[in-house]
Amino acid sequence: MQDLVEFLFRSLVTRPDEVRVEARQEGGVTTYRVTVHPDDVGRVIGRQGRIAHAVRSVVGAAAHRQGRRVHVLIGSQESSFSEDAGRSSCKFDNR
Amino acid sequence: MRKVVATGKTIEEAVMSALVRLGVPRSQAQVRVIREPARGFLGWLGGREAEVEVTVIETPLDAAKEFLRTVISKMGLGQAVIVADDVDEEGHVKLSISADEDALPILIGRRGATLDALQYLVNIVANRDAAEKMRFTLDAAGYRDRRLESLRRLADEAADKAVRLGRPVALDPMPRKDRKWVHAHLQARGDVVTVSEGQEPYRRVKIIPKRHDWIE
């Protein structure tokens, strides 16, 4: 699953080497925290979050198949994942 | 995008060894010289080898198929086969995905949501480095045609019902593309008008019989 998340993000960015994915297990949910180079943030979020939404749909479908629940959070290397940063990049989670 | 860095005594030699490793002809590769070779004092001793970076030039179509196959495999849905229709004049091409039968519902998703997401992503990823962009539509196991057929039936039945009851009938929420199709389809009938209402992702089409002045 982490492999899929990494591949999707690396395919979208111009600096694939700088994509970092960190997985954390909380209860029944796996959260993937993805960081990309600051210049690439727009490329993984997209206008009105459309790209992020599409990535989450694909990852969500794969997780569903395995009976798992996953969250994908996106940040840049400059912003740490404080609670607020996590929350603000979280707004497409429930679609 | 596949690329390798190779070295050789001459640039030509370095390029050849890179092409062999990539397994592509010269015409499908782009070469960037990283370092010119230099002769040393005693033969090659102290000299530098040439270093080149060779990148495979992929068409958006190749890139699209490769992306889809990799994603589907990493989704745990097995080996998919992607078949492309002929490219039309506008660079529009339909890609049909064949996969295991039990993988299809996941690949398509609720009301085609996963298929739509993959379609959106493949258009971005495959066209990123392309001089001439292509537009891809995805299908799996004839889903798009079947969906259109059920959409047609749904729309016709709801329109009939609206006319019969003389009051508006709302369809279930559906993606923008489907709503657009329903509007266009029902426009052909003279006895109803259609509007979309509600917020995404719950936006839905409402069918209003013309005889009753519901709009005013």
Side-chain angles (χ1 to χ4, degrees):
Chain A
M1 186 67 59
Q2 179 151 355
D3 202 25
L4 173 67
V5 175
E6 275 171 16
F7 178 75
L8 287 169
F9 280 93
R10 295 215 161 110
S11 303
L12 289 164
V13 299
T14 54
R15 298 169 194 239
D17 296 344
E18 306 212 20
V19 171
R20 298 276 175 275
V21 179
E22 189 198 312
R24 192 175 300 175
Q25 192 75 34
E26 292 158 40
V29 185
T30 312
T31 303
Y32 294 102
R33 294 172 172 231
V34 183
T35 47
V36 299
H37 187 277
D39 292 349
D40 278 329
V41 174
R43 286 190 183 83
V44 298
I45 292 179
R47 241 183 326 136
Q48 294 172 21
R50 274 190 83 187
I51 298 177
H53 184 205
V55 169
R56 289 185 172 117
S57 294
V58 172
V59 176
H64 179 72
R65 164 127 169 139
Q66 301 178 6
R68 295 172 55 190
R69 277 167 47 85
V70 296
H71 277 168
V72 178
L73 301 183
I74 300 166
S76 79
Q77 290 154 352
E78 280 169 354
S79 70
S80 65
F81 282 102
S82 66
E83 276 306 299
D84 283 348
R87 212 168 280 148
S88 66
S89 63
C90 204
K91 60 183 172 196
F92 306 99
D93 270 355
N94 298 324
R95 298 274 180 92
Chain B
M1 184 170 294
R2 286 195 301 143
K3 59 181 166 191
V4 296
V5 173
T7 56
K9 283 178 192 163
T10 63
I11 288 177
E12 226 17 68
E13 256 187 54
V15 170
M16 272 312 294
S17 102
L19 291 177
V20 168
R21 269 154 68 192
L22 289 168
V24 295
R26 179 73 184 82
S27 57
Q28 278 176 37
Q30 193 179 11
V31 175
R32 187 170 69 87
V33 176
I34 298 172
R35 198 177 57 201
E36 299 273 350
R39 221 180 274 275
F41 288 116
L42 306 159
W44 292 106
L45 197 67
R48 282 188 326 210
E49 290 206 300
E51 193 174 356
V52 296
E53 181 189 76
V54 177
T55 312
V56 179
I57 304 169
E58 277 185 318
T59 66
L61 183 57
D62 293 334
K65 287 177 164 182
E66 180 67 27
F67 174 77
L68 289 171
R69 276 194 297 259
T70 310
V71 169
I72 291 166
S73 143
K74 286 181 192 295
M75 286 174 81
L77 302 179
Q79 295 302 310
V81 177
I82 319 283
V83 178
D85 277 6
D86 291 339
V87 183
D88 73 7
E89 320 83 62
E90 283 138 37
H92 191 155
V93 60
K94 182 170 154 185
L95 301 177
S96 301
I97 307 173
S98 311
D100 286 347
E101 211 165 292
D102 66 326
L104 283 170
I106 305 284
L107 200 58
I108 293 167
R110 198 170 141 79
R111 292 202 185 96
T114 315
L115 202 59
D116 286 343
L118 283 171
Q119 177 173 306
Y120 184 64
L121 293 175
V122 80
N123 275 286
I124 293 167
V125 171
N127 284 315
R128 219 187 51 204
D129 306 308
E132 265 185 43
K133 293 189 189 310
M134 292 176 76
R135 243 180 65 227
F136 301 104
T137 3
L138 290 194
D139 199 0
Y143 170 78
R144 298 283 190 209
D145 287 344
R146 268 183 292 132
R147 170 74 181 153
L148 222 53
E149 193 41 56
S150 72
L151 213 54
R152 181 200 310 278
R153 213 174 40 237
L154 216 68
D156 288 343
E157 279 168 11
D160 289 345
K161 188 173 159 192
V163 170
R164 195 173 65 240
L165 301 177
R167 63 172 177 79
V169 171
L171 295 175
D172 286 339
M174 57 179 77
R176 183 209 316 249
K177 217 162 47 330
D178 289 358
R179 294 196 307 268
K180 194 175 165 190
W181 191 90
V182 170
H183 287 306
H185 175 66
L186 291 180
Q187 193 125 59
R189 303 174 51 130
D191 55 353
V192 293
V193 290
T194 56
V195 293
S196 288
E197 60 178 20
Q199 289 296 306
E200 297 281 11
Y202 302 109
R203 212 164 150 75
R204 53 171 70 197
V205 175
K206 191 156 123 185
I207 304 167
I208 305 159
K210 261 188 184 165
R211 275 190 204 174
H212 296 258
D213 304 324
W214 284 93
I215 306 174
E216 284 117 276

